[in-house]
Amino acid sequence: MSDDLPSIGRIADREHLFPVRVYYEDTDFTGVVYHATYLRYFERGRSEFLRAMGLPSDREDHGAFAVTRIVVDYRTAGRIHDALVVRTRFTGLRGPRLNFEQQIERTGVVLAEAEIVAVAIHLDGRVRRPSAAE
C-alpha cells in the first residue's frame, strides 16, 4: 500500500476506527466543530468501514445505501486542530436495513454518538436486500 493513499482506518475488537483531523472549514467562527460536521464524520466512518470490510466496488450496482434514520447525541465540543477517531460498529441486519452505532472521540472522550439505520438500495433507488458477498 502506498503512503500516498488516504487511510481507510482499521478494524479492532469488532469496531472500525477512522481518524479525522478538525480543520477550519469544519468549525464555526469560534473554532468549535459545527454540529452538521459530525454527520459528515459519521458518514466517512461508515463509508470507510464498508470499504475496509471489502464492499465490492467493481460491480455496476456496487452497494448503495440511504440513511433512513439517525439519532445523534452531542456530548462535548470538538475544536480546531483536534485529532478525532470515528468508531463504527455494525449492530445488525434486518431485511434491507443495516444498523450501526457510532462515536466520535478525542483521546477517549466521547464528543458525539449516533444510532444509524441505512437501507441498501439499487442505483435507481429501489430497496434491495444486501447479499452475503457485501
Side-chain angles (χ1 to χ4, degrees):
M1 182 162 112
S2 171
D3 290 338
D4 295 335
L5 296 176
S7 170
I8 64 168
R10 62 187 175 87
I11 304 281
D13 296 325
R14 301 184 62 139
E15 277 188 316
H16 180 259
L17 307 174
F18 181 67
V20 295
R21 168 94 46 206
V22 177
Y23 297 108
Y24 183 73
E25 67 186 14
D26 300 324
T27 67
D28 62 16
F29 66 95
T30 68
V32 171
V33 175
Y34 182 66
H35 72 278
T37 301
Y38 292 101
L39 297 176
R40 289 197 307 270
Y41 293 161
F42 286 137
E43 175 65 29
R44 290 177 197 166
R46 285 190 313 279
S47 295
E48 296 301 339
F49 168 76
L50 294 170
R51 185 185 317 275
M53 295 302 294
L55 182 72
S57 59
D58 57 348
R59 308 186 344 209
E60 181 179 312
D61 192 3
H62 62 276
F65 299 91
V67 170
T68 59
R69 183 172 189 270
I70 185 165
V71 177
V72 179
D73 290 320
Y74 298 97
R75 303 286 183 208
T76 192
R79 301 196 175 275
I80 190 150
H81 306 301
D82 279 353
L84 307 178
V85 175
V86 180
R87 294 179 170 272
T88 303
R89 191 163 59 91
F90 177 71
T91 58
L93 176 68
R94 187 169 185 176
R97 292 180 189 85
L98 294 94
N99 300 301
F100 299 91
E101 291 178 353
Q102 291 185 277
Q103 291 183 332
I104 297 172
E105 64 179 45
R106 175 188 57 230
T107 60
V109 174
V110 176
L111 306 182
E113 54 190 350
E115 295 177 11
I116 295 95
V117 177
V119 175
I121 59 173
H122 294 282
L123 294 181
D124 65 5
R126 292 179 297 120
V127 174
R128 67 179 178 81
R129 286 186 182 265
S131 70
E134 296 174 313

